Amino acid sequence: MAQHMKDRVVALAGPRKAAEMAKLVEKMGGTPLIRPAQGTVFLDDEVLRESIENWLKEPAPPWAIFTTGIGLEAIYDMAEQMGALDRLNVTLTQTTIAARGYKTVNALKKRGLTPIVRDDDGSTSGLIRALAPFDLAGKRVILQLHGESAPKLVEWLESRGAQVEPILPYKHIPPREEDISLLVDEIIQGKVDAVAFTSAPQFRFLADFAKDHGKLEAVLEAFRGPVIAVAVGKVTAQGLREEGITRLLVPEDERMGSMMVELGRYFAQSAN
């Protein structure tokens, strides 16, 4: 493998598959630093169960918006445990469904459901564009999230008069303070050439910590140069942009390996 990352230091903010990504960085001649910017992702069974019960005990809501395939699967798994699978299926056949991302659409199709509204580019902004022509005023909207609050989408829906009921199948817990503090300082001091993010909450935790310690502007300035931010896909990239990152790399193929290859190309081009 070409040594495109020779003499480069890459911080890996995603805890999942960090060791595999570190090996890729090393194969390209770089130095990986594993700096988890989020803690464990866990399923809160009790909260999910309560949310589903509240959803199904009332008449079918006019709208249901799904944002991730894995989140939809978690809802179905829990409904099955609750003995509420038939009720969920009937409710969804009476509901206008919107979806973000092809994985979400595929998960719906597996259940015999087709979204009436879907994004044009896999992002929340694309989903908002697709929803814009519809009258949501006074409408009850079930919004499935995946471990983060999606403030932009919630704010937009509420600005259109929708009554939003979030369902959050998974929750991300904050990283260890010593890990995030070290990463913030390394970014500000230019000790890393790039930071690779595999989910939007990773940067959100980093930004929140930096803000609380009066370092957010310094972090944002570092990401304007010399440090480059790398996002695994469009959804992660949008989360970074919403927090103020304007200069970042996003691979066409939304995979961790592709993210590292894209970063290697960037370093090779910048060295010429």
Side-chain angles (χ1 to χ4, degrees), residues 131-150:
L131 286 166
F134 294 88
D135 179 12
L136 300 174
K139 304 289 177 63
R140 181 179 175 223
V141 177
I142 301 297
L143 175 59
Q144 173 263 313
L145 300 170
H146 181 60
E148 52 182 314
S149 61

Side-chain angles (χ1 to χ4, degrees), residues 31-210:
T31 300
L33 301 177
I34 297 178
R35 298 288 186 263
Q38 78 180 58
T40 306
V41 180
F42 71 96
L43 177 63
D44 192 328
D45 287 346
E46 186 175 341
V47 172
L48 181 55
R49 183 184 296 270
E50 182 180 347
S51 297
I52 292 173
E53 195 58 56
N54 289 336
W55 176 5
L56 300 180
K57 74 182 180 182
E58 297 184 29
W63 284 88
I65 300 174
F66 297 98
T67 60
T68 64
I70 192 171
L72 177 67
E73 295 294 345
I75 288 172
Y76 263 89
D77 289 346
M78 178 56 71
E80 187 171 14
Q81 293 176 36
M82 296 166 62
L85 203 51
D86 289 341
R87 279 195 292 155
L88 177 60
N89 282 323
V90 169
T91 295
L92 285 174
T93 60
Q94 300 170 352
T95 301
T96 300
I97 297 174
R100 182 195 70 182
Y102 72 92
K103 291 181 181 178
T104 310
V105 172
N106 289 343
L108 285 164
K109 286 182 178 177
K110 190 173 79 171
R111 304 288 181 177
L113 300 166
T114 302
I116 302 301
V117 180
R118 61 171 301 183
D119 62 274
D120 55 11
D121 63 355
S123 72
T124 299
S125 294
L127 182 58
I128 288 172
R129 286 194 296 272
L131 286 166
F134 294 88
D135 179 12
L136 300 174
K139 304 289 177 63
R140 181 179 175 223
V141 177
I142 301 297
L143 175 59
Q144 173 263 313
L145 300 170
H146 181 60
E148 52 182 314
S149 61
K152 180 179 179 181
L153 180 54
V154 172
E155 181 181 350
W156 184 85
L157 289 168
E158 290 179 343
S159 75
R160 299 295 297 268
Q163 299 170 3
V164 183
E165 295 182 23
I167 290 187
L168 202 67
Y170 290 85
K171 288 189 177 180
H172 299 272
I173 65 171
R176 295 190 311 166
E177 186 167 314
E178 53 265 41
D179 290 334
I180 204 73
S181 177
L182 179 59
L183 178 56
V184 165
D185 288 342
E186 287 170 334
I187 292 168
I188 293 172
Q189 295 167 18
K191 293 182 178 179
V192 296
D193 297 289
V195 184
F197 297 95
T198 57
S199 75
Q202 291 160 15
F203 188 77
R204 194 157 293 134
F205 283 130
L206 187 152
D208 287 347
F209 179 89

